[in-house]
Amino acid sequence: MPRTAQGERKGAVTRRRILETATPVFNRFGYAGTSMAALVSATGLEKGGIYNHFASKDALAVAAFDHAIAQVTDAFTAARAGVNSPLGQLRAVVECFARWADDPLIPGGCPIVNTAVEADDTNPELLAHSRAAMDSWQRLIGALVRDAQAAGEVRADVDKRAVSALVTSSLEGAIVISRMMHDSGQMRRVVAHLLDYFDSISTDRNGT
Amino acid sequence: MPRTAQGERKGAVTRRRILETATPVFNRFGYAGTSMAALVSATGLEKGGIYNHFASKDALAVAAFDHAIAQVTDAFTAARAGVNSPLGQLRAVVECFARWADDPLIPGGCPIVNTAVEADDTNPELLAHSRAAMDSWQRLIGALVRDAQAAGEVRADVDKRAVSALVTSSLEGAIVISRMMHDSGQMRRVVAHLLDYFDSISTDRNGT
Amino acid sequence: MPRTAQGERKGAVTRRRILETATPVFNRFGYAGTSMAALVSATGLEKGGIYNHFASKDALAVAAFDHAIAQVTDAFTAARAGVNSPLGQLRAVVECFARWADDPLIPGGCPIVNTAVEADDTNPELLAHSRAAMDSWQRLIGALVRDAQAAGEVRADVDKRAVSALVTSSLEGAIVISRMMHDSGQMRRVVAHLLDYFDSISTDRNGT
Amino acid sequence: MPRTAQGERKGAVTRRRILETATPVFNRFGYAGTSMAALVSATGLEKGGIYNHFASKDALAVAAFDHAIAQVTDAFTAARAGVNSPLGQLRAVVECFARWADDPLIPGGCPIVNTAVEADDTNPELLAHSRAAMDSWQRLIGALVRDAQAAGEVRADVDKRAVSALVTSSLEGAIVISRMMHDSGQMRRVVAHLLDYFDSISTDRNGT
DNA sequence: ACCATCGGGACGTCCCGTTTTT
DNA sequence: AAAAACGGGACGTCCCGATGGT
């Protein structure tokens, strides 16, 4: 039997297992703060076993980051599924992310900020991936605003870049602050503001 | 007893020199990312020289963090000086912080988030200092809102905790995102939103 | 069913070829010092080929040891063939073994000591085989002494255990020392002593 | 206080501690069979700590071997102390070594054979040290025989090289065999033979 | 305040024995 | 039977933080 039940080579299974184990560790302790020894003990594999699948700690960290982002992206996609209106989808994305404060998708905070904060001035490759992830998130929000405008849900004079900057900044800031203050109320208040703000730019009479 | 012209002991001068040199290094590269060797080459002193003034890397990092926060606090105080209205002071604080995106007070981003992101799950002492700094910032904003309400500048039904959560979260998020995307426009848009928001809660009919 | 001219299955031939090639390699470099890769290059087969015939390196090492011992035992048997007197057979065995110093039956020294020295505290199974081989050699010597006494060639008060301890110890020691000092004179002197000793315990007044 | 009570730098103490700990480990498990990890756990130091004092595992193994030999040499010297007659000293050396079978100076057998058996065909430097140690032992025995002859204790026609070859070979062989068979009787019989042999070459009428 | 030294430990290569896959 | 892949683990460099000693 050369393949597993899923039709994968054995190595692919191991590789994924490493990734799934390493992702939360990197996210909690950071790149420098995560030792290969920690990953050895977390995965149960030995150093050689890990290095058979990843050329370096660096390559593993990048793959783990991408794995984390894929999880977040999937969660966003799932949150938007079944919601027809673009503005509704925007609200769904915000609420999906907001849930992180109480029940994190990946422990240790948002991988994008974590990575950006540590990798700035330090690790260009990780920084580039982090930047790409943020860019893609902001593009998603921008596209939803544009669609909402096309659908007549949002006023035409609203700058989609302003919305995406506000949403990402305030949510990322709120995650950091909620975590550091052990107070998810911080996130709740920020989300409440964002939802109010969405009402205020909506064409619906009942909003501000 | 060697004293400088200012009447300080010689040791105190060296100590302050170390602190001033170390602060931006820690802020850029983080606690783990900053080696004693890097501080040696930054300060021009030898390791022994540094250890004469600080018991450990840890103690130095904490002192450097506090030094950084003192600088920020001083900048806030200066920005508020001469502004009479509490709401005006609130705007001044936001604009003062916003300037960081283009012309940082300390290179490497805001020490509070930097420290919180790295120290979470890692370094309780640094985290505590970071938390205290954030708490003090939020109290300042809360006090300004309360004063503004007392002065009739801001509507009485506004929750000061909501304001401080929004301001700190969005500004901290914006700093991280501006830096990572090399785009200070992100900060500008967030600040514009905050100022609009201040108008929207102000009792002044005309806006600013 | 592929069979050779001798009527052996093809697999059995390969197995014996592996054994014959592996035996001197293990004897020279030891168990730990012999890698499967070395055996691959010595045999010309690939790893898979070897593993088809031996379940593990361990199993192969044990088989190689037994193969080595069989060669020595055969040599002893051949040396004794045609010698009638038990004392003569004893002398023949000593001289047969002594030849090892100059012209080894298996390169790398006596497999019994080699294995015993390495496997002690390390590899119980190899050690057990080594012990069995030594035991069998000492029993052979003891039996020859007893037969010589029965035949009136050796004095009755001689302890056969003393003879076998002396013969095996001094020959094994001599092999190690001859090899390490690159001086087969060491073996020659020890053999000379043993032969003198045999004379001294013999009932023959004239010696020889 | 730059020095310890014994006037040594701190490093020298650590170095000796490593040596004392490593010596029995190497002697029991051999050079290849001893991992740096084993020495780490035996010494309580970390790898870096050990490598601060020894350039390589190889260098440490050589130093440990020399340390072992020094212990043996000291024991021989102590055994000869207070014995006036050269033949008596010879007997003392044999008895001193013989004690190894029951109560080893260093666990794991005689380092000279252990090293010679493993290092032959493998590790020239260790082999050279082993050879030097054996040479020095044989020279000691040769010198004692020569002195005994000069003192008239031993017959003039005895070849000192024959004596040293016999003594070293049979004792080394006996140690290996006693250990592998878990039977110190083997050593006892060989020693008894050697003492008889010394009587037989002595000029004393009462000997054979 | 300097320099040398110390012990700690991360990283990652290399190769080993074995298993899978072909 | 061959070849490739797999997991294990040894070795040793490098540098880190910290501590003497001068």
Side-chain angles (χ1 to χ4, degrees):
Chain A
M1 300 292 129
R3 316 247 158 201
T4 65
Q6 294 79 30
E8 276 177 319
R9 308 284 244 54
K10 191 183 172 220
V13 176
T14 305
R15 189 193 143 94
R16 209 185 33 245
R17 183 157 64 86
I18 295 171
L19 225 40
E20 280 163 0
T21 314
T23 294
V25 179
F26 273 118
N27 199 48
R28 278 168 55 98
F29 300 105
Y31 174 77
T34 300
S35 69
M36 289 306 296
L39 297 175
V40 161
S41 95
T43 57
L45 288 174
E46 291 299 322
K47 202 114 57 102
I50 297 178
Y51 275 95
N52 275 341
H53 296 278
F54 298 93
S56 62
K57 180 188 174 186
D58 217 277
L60 174 51
V62 168
F65 177 80
D66 288 346
H67 181 72
I69 293 307
Q71 283 182 258
V72 179
T73 301
D74 287 353
F76 283 173
T77 303
R80 288 162 53 208
V83 179
N84 274 330
S85 97
L87 188 52
Q89 290 191 16
L90 193 52
R91 287 195 183 96
V93 165
V94 168
E95 277 159 349
C96 171
F97 191 91
R99 224 170 300 141
W100 210 313
D102 280 321
D103 171 31
L105 205 52
I106 303 158
C110 172
I112 300 182
V113 249
N114 289 355
T115 301
V117 165
E118 179 179 7
D120 224 0
D121 300 306
T122 275
N123 189 326
E125 192 180 3
L126 269 178
L127 181 59
H129 280 245
S130 179
R131 189 151 36 209
M134 176 54 73
D135 189 57
S136 139
W137 190 17
Q138 293 198 329
R139 278 172 199 280
L140 169 64
I141 293 172
L144 290 177
V145 171
R146 191 199 51 212
D147 293 349
Q149 289 173 321
E153 292 178 324
V154 161
R155 292 200 318 261
D157 64 330
V158 168
D159 180 1
K160 68 188 184 194
R161 291 176 307 170
V163 178
S164 61
L166 175 65
V167 169
T168 53
S169 291
S170 57
L171 287 179
E172 292 290 14
I175 269 257
V176 172
I177 293 175
S178 291
R179 279 172 45 74
M180 72 181 289
M181 307 305 280
H182 298 309
D183 171 16
S184 61
Q186 306 264 358
M187 170 64 85
R188 241 181 299 118
R189 291 184 192 102
V190 165
V191 169
H193 176 82
L194 287 178
L195 296 181
D196 279 355
Y197 170 66
F198 292 157
D199 288 343
S200 79
I201 63 174
S202 107
T203 54
D204 181 344
R205 295 264 156 83
N206 302 333
T208 299
Chain B
M1 296 296 123
R3 295 183 177 258
T4 65
Q6 293 77 29
E8 275 182 325
R9 304 277 241 53
K10 183 161 168 270
V13 174
T14 304
R15 191 191 141 94
R16 216 192 26 244
R17 182 156 66 87
I18 294 172
L19 223 41
E20 280 163 0
T21 314
T23 295
V25 179
F26 273 117
N27 200 47
R28 277 166 57 97
F29 301 104
Y31 175 75
T34 300
S35 67
M36 291 304 293
L39 297 175
V40 161
S41 96
T43 56
L45 280 91
E46 288 303 319
K47 261 190 228 185
I50 298 177
Y51 272 94
N52 277 341
H53 293 279
F54 297 94
S56 65
K57 179 187 174 183
D58 217 277
L60 173 51
V62 167
F65 176 80
D66 289 346
H67 181 71
I69 293 307
Q71 284 182 258
V72 178
T73 302
D74 288 353
F76 283 173
T77 303
R80 288 161 54 209
V83 179
N84 276 329
S85 97
L87 187 53
Q89 290 191 18
L90 192 52
R91 288 197 183 95
V93 165
V94 168
E95 279 159 348
C96 170
F97 192 90
R99 224 168 300 140
W100 210 313
D102 281 320
D103 171 31
L105 205 53
I106 303 159
C110 172
I112 300 182
V113 249
N114 289 356
T115 300
V117 164
E118 178 178 7
D120 224 359
D121 300 305
T122 274
N123 190 325
E125 190 181 3
L126 271 178
L127 181 59
H129 281 245
S130 178
R131 188 150 39 207
M134 174 56 72
D135 190 57
S136 141
W137 190 18
Q138 293 198 329
R139 279 172 198 280
L140 169 62
I141 293 173
L144 290 176
V145 170
R146 190 200 52 211
D147 293 350
Q149 289 173 320
E153 291 178 324
V154 161
R155 291 199 319 262
D157 65 329
V158 168
D159 180 0
K160 68 186 184 196
R161 290 176 308 168
V163 179
S164 60
L166 175 66
V167 169
T168 52
S169 291
S170 57
L171 287 180
E172 292 289 15
I175 265 255
V176 171
I177 293 176
S178 291
R179 279 172 44 75
M180 74 181 287
M181 307 304 279
H182 297 310
D183 171 16
S184 59
Q186 307 263 358
M187 173 61 88
R188 240 179 300 117
R189 292 184 192 101
V190 166
V191 169
H193 175 83
L194 287 178
L195 296 181
D196 279 354
Y197 170 66
F198 292 158
D199 289 343
S200 79
I201 62 173
S202 111
T203 53
D204 179 349
R205 294 258 158 85
N206 303 330
T208 303
Chain C
M1 296 299 120
R3 292 177 180 267
T4 65
Q6 292 78 30
E8 273 182 324
R9 306 277 241 51
K10 183 164 167 270
V13 175
T14 305
R15 191 191 142 94
R16 212 186 36 240
R17 184 157 64 85
I18 294 170
L19 225 40
E20 281 164 357
T21 315
T23 295
V25 179
F26 273 117
N27 200 47
R28 277 168 55 100
F29 301 104
Y31 175 76
T34 300
S35 69
M36 291 304 294
L39 297 174
V40 161
S41 96
T43 57
L45 279 91
E46 287 302 319
K47 264 190 218 180
I50 298 176
Y51 272 92
N52 278 339
H53 293 279
F54 297 93
S56 65
K57 179 187 174 184
D58 216 277
L60 174 51
V62 167
F65 176 81
D66 288 346
H67 180 72
I69 293 306
Q71 283 183 259
V72 179
T73 302
D74 288 353
F76 284 173
T77 303
R80 289 160 53 208
V83 179
N84 274 332
S85 98
L87 189 51
Q89 290 191 17
L90 193 51
R91 286 196 184 95
V93 164
V94 168
E95 278 160 347
C96 170
F97 191 91
R99 226 170 298 139
W100 210 313
D102 279 322
D103 172 30
L105 204 50
I106 303 160
C110 172
I112 300 180
V113 249
N114 290 355
T115 299
V117 164
E118 179 179 5
D120 223 0
D121 300 307
T122 274
N123 189 326
E125 190 180 3
L126 270 178
L127 181 60
H129 281 246
S130 179
R131 187 150 42 205
M134 174 55 73
D135 188 57
S136 141
W137 189 17
Q138 292 197 330
R139 279 172 198 280
L140 169 63
I141 292 172
L144 290 176
V145 169
R146 189 200 52 211
D147 292 351
Q149 289 173 320
E153 291 179 326
V154 161
R155 293 199 317 261
D157 65 334
V158 169
D159 179 0
K160 69 186 182 193
R161 290 175 309 168
V163 178
S164 61
L166 175 65
V167 170
T168 54
S169 291
S170 58
L171 287 180
E172 291 290 13
I175 266 253
V176 171
I177 293 175
S178 291
R179 279 172 45 74
M180 73 181 287
M181 307 305 280
H182 298 307
D183 171 17
S184 61
Q186 306 263 358
M187 172 62 88
R188 240 180 300 117
R189 292 186 191 99
V190 166
V191 169
H193 175 81
L194 288 179
L195 296 180
D196 278 356
Y197 170 68
F198 291 157
D199 289 346
S200 80
I201 62 173
S202 112
T203 53
D204 178 348
R205 293 264 159 80
N206 301 333
T208 306
Chain D
M1 300 290 128
R3 318 248 158 198
T4 65
Q6 294 79 30
E8 276 176 319
R9 308 287 243 57
K10 189 181 172 218
V13 175
T14 305
R15 188 191 145 96
R16 209 182 36 242
R17 183 158 63 86
I18 294 171
L19 225 39
E20 280 164 0
T21 313
T23 295
V25 179
F26 272 117
N27 199 47
R28 277 167 56 98
F29 301 105
Y31 173 76
T34 300
S35 68
M36 288 306 296
L39 297 175
V40 161
S41 93
T43 57
L45 287 175
E46 290 301 321
K47 200 114 58 95
I50 297 177
Y51 275 96
N52 275 339
H53 296 278
F54 298 93
S56 61
K57 179 186 173 184
D58 217 279
L60 173 52
V62 167
F65 176 81
D66 287 347
H67 181 72
I69 293 307
Q71 283 182 260
V72 179
T73 302
D74 288 353
F76 283 173
T77 302
R80 290 162 53 209
V83 179
N84 274 329
S85 100
L87 188 52
Q89 290 190 16
L90 193 51
R91 287 196 184 95
V93 165
V94 168
E95 279 159 348
C96 169
F97 191 90
R99 226 169 300 141
W100 209 313
D102 280 320
D103 171 31
L105 204 52
I106 303 159
C110 172
I112 300 181
V113 249
N114 289 356
T115 299
V117 164
E118 179 178 7
D120 223 358
D121 300 306
T122 273
N123 189 325
E125 190 180 4
L126 268 178
L127 181 60
H129 281 245
S130 179
R131 187 149 41 208
M134 175 55 73
D135 189 57
S136 141
W137 190 17
Q138 292 197 330
R139 277 172 200 279
L140 168 64
I141 293 173
L144 290 176
V145 170
R146 190 201 50 213
D147 292 350
Q149 290 174 320
E153 291 179 325
V154 161
R155 292 200 319 262
D157 64 332
V158 168
D159 179 2
K160 68 186 183 194
R161 289 174 310 167
V163 179
S164 60
L166 175 66
V167 169
T168 53
S169 291
S170 58
L171 287 180
E172 292 289 15
I175 268 258
V176 172
I177 294 175
S178 292
R179 277 172 45 75
M180 73 182 287
M181 307 306 278
H182 298 308
D183 170 17
S184 60
Q186 305 263 359
M187 171 62 87
R188 242 180 297 114
R189 292 185 192 100
V190 166
V191 169
H193 174 82
L194 287 178
L195 296 181
D196 279 354
Y197 169 68
F198 291 157
D199 288 344
S200 79
I201 61 173
S202 107
T203 53
D204 179 345
R205 292 266 158 78
N206 301 335
T208 300

